[in-house]
């Protein structure tokens, strides 16, 4: 079969993404939709314990295929099993080198993986086994990748804040002052309240049908309050601590 090539005259192939406060916040808001829908798809199935005999291999094989398709050329994507991937090669597409320093390579997916199975799934998914192991595994993979992307987007937000106020931020970095960096990054109580309210509204709209069909009573805002927001802040601080390396 001949190779299919699509061209867009209006958009040059080498146009690059721009990251600023507005675009990063917009991306995080869109990821809320992705995460909520992915969670809804996962809770359609019970825990299905035999799924986890195959999920690790499924994720490794999927990431290897996605690596070949250059998914991980994109700095917004982080594999769960980077040690399973071939040696890094030059990206096929010249993504913007926005992230700087050693912090650009931060990957806390091992922690996300542990939290997901130890704490998050038991909170939202009912015990039981309906035999739908393959469907459950793919639902887990989709949700895991969406959560990972949201959390690691903290690197981009941290870089935006660094560029906006380097004079303020740099002394904290050199002093390795995590508490000061956390305060520098955000007015946490205000921002978190905005995110939580937005998520709650989306769940009310998106989850009506699911609540009726699957008796879904989980409070999705807890997903953000207990896991996503704290882990995002952790990534932000770790990124800044390595920003000058």
């Amino acid at each position: 079969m001949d190779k299919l090539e699509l061209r867009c005259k209006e958009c040059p192939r080498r146009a690059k993404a721009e990251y600023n406060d507005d675009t990063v916040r917009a991306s995080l808001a869109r990821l809320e939709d992705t995460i909520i829908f992915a969670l809804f798809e996962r809770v359609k199935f019970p825990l299905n314990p035999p799924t986890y005999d195959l999920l690790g291999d499924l994720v490794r094989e999927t990431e290897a295929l996605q690596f070949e398709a250059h998914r991980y050329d994109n700095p917004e994507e982080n594999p769960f099993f980077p040690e399973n991937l071939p040696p890094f090669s030059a990206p096929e597409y010249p993504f913007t080198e926005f992230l700087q320093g050693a912090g650009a390579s931060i990957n806390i997916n091992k922690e996300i993986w542990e939290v997901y199975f130890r704490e998050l799934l038991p909170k939202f998914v009912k015990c039981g086994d309906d035999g739908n192991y393959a469907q459950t595994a793919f639902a887990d993979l989709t949700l895991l990748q969406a959560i990972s992307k949201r959390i690691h987007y903290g690197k981009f937000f941290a870089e935006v804040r660094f560029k906006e106020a380097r004079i303020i931020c740099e002394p904290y970095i050199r002093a390795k002052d995590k508490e000061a960096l956390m305060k520098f990054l955000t007015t946490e109580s205000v921002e978190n309240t905005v995110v939580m309210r937005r998520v709650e509204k989306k769940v009310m709209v998106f989850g009506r049908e699911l609540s009726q069909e699957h008796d879904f009573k989980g409070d999705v805002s807890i997903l953000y309050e207990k896991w996503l927001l704290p882990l995002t802040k952790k990534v932000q601080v770790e990124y800044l601590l390595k920003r000058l390396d």
Side-chain angles (χ1 to χ4, degrees):
M1 181 180 295
D2 294 337
K3 181 179 179 181
L4 178 62
E5 292 189 2
L6 300 178
R7 300 293 186 206
C8 179
K9 295 180 180 179
E10 293 79 11
C11 300
R13 183 178 184 276
R14 298 192 176 272
K16 298 181 178 182
E18 293 184 4
Y19 297 99
N20 55 50
D21 190 71
D22 290 337
T23 61
V24 169
R25 291 182 187 277
S27 294
L28 292 177
R30 289 194 297 271
L31 279 168
E32 291 167 7
D33 299 353
T34 304
I35 290 170
I36 292 169
F37 280 118
L39 179 61
F40 285 172
E41 286 301 309
R42 177 58 187 89
V43 300
K44 290 179 180 179
F45 305 103
L47 193 58
N48 283 339
T51 299
Y52 306 105
D53 294 333
L54 61 89
L55 184 63
D57 289 339
L58 172 66
V59 175
R60 289 181 179 89
E61 292 174 8
T62 300
E63 289 186 342
L65 288 172
Q66 292 175 339
F67 176 87
E68 294 297 330
H70 296 274
R71 175 175 185 152
Y72 301 108
D73 293 353
N74 187 335
E76 297 177 8
E77 305 289 348
N78 296 270
F80 281 89
F81 298 99
E83 69 280 0
N84 189 59
L85 300 178
F88 178 79
S89 59
E92 183 178 73
Y93 185 87
F95 286 96
T96 301
E97 293 183 1
F98 181 75
L99 301 178
Q100 304 294 321
S105 61
I106 287 173
N107 183 335
I108 67 164
N109 272 338
K110 291 291 188 291
E111 181 176 355
I112 294 171
W113 183 275
E114 291 296 324
V115 168
Y116 181 83
F117 293 108
R118 186 178 65 248
E119 301 178 30
L120 196 154
L121 272 188
K123 176 66 179 179
F124 292 100
V125 177
K126 294 181 179 180
C127 291
D129 186 334
D130 66 1
N132 290 305
Y133 308 138
Q135 296 95 321
T136 300
F138 280 108
D140 279 315
L141 173 59
T142 301
L143 181 54
L144 276 164
Q145 289 183 326
I147 288 173
S148 170
K149 186 170 184 177
R150 199 282 175 203
I151 290 171
H152 287 99
Y153 232 92
K155 292 186 284 187
F156 293 88
F157 185 79
E159 178 64 22
V160 168
R161 295 288 285 116
F162 178 84
K163 290 181 182 298
E164 289 175 344
R166 178 167 185 160
I167 294 176
I168 298 174
C169 182
E170 192 167 324
Y172 301 150
I173 296 174
R174 297 193 183 282
K176 304 297 182 184
D177 190 336
K178 292 184 178 182
E179 184 177 351
L181 286 172
M182 184 69 74
K183 292 179 180 179
F184 163 78
L185 281 164
T186 183
T187 52
E188 187 171 2
S189 60
V190 175
E191 179 181 312
N192 287 3
T193 299
V194 171
V195 172
M196 304 286 281
R197 287 178 178 174
R198 189 170 61 220
V199 169
E200 289 170 358
K201 289 180 180 179
K202 290 179 178 181
V203 171
M204 288 179 62
V205 174
F206 301 156
R208 288 172 184 165
E209 183 176 344
L210 180 77
S211 298
Q212 294 172 358
E213 293 183 3
H214 298 277
D215 193 30
F216 176 62
K217 305 299 184 184
D219 184 355
V220 179
S221 62
I222 293 178
L223 173 66
Y224 276 78
E225 181 180 11
K226 188 171 182 178
W227 296 294
L228 268 63
L229 292 177
L231 287 174
T232 301
K233 291 294 185 293
K234 177 179 180 177
V235 167
Q236 291 172 348
V237 171
E238 289 189 6
Y239 175 85
L240 288 178
L241 287 172
K242 297 181 178 181
R243 175 59 175 77
L244 303 177
D245 293 351

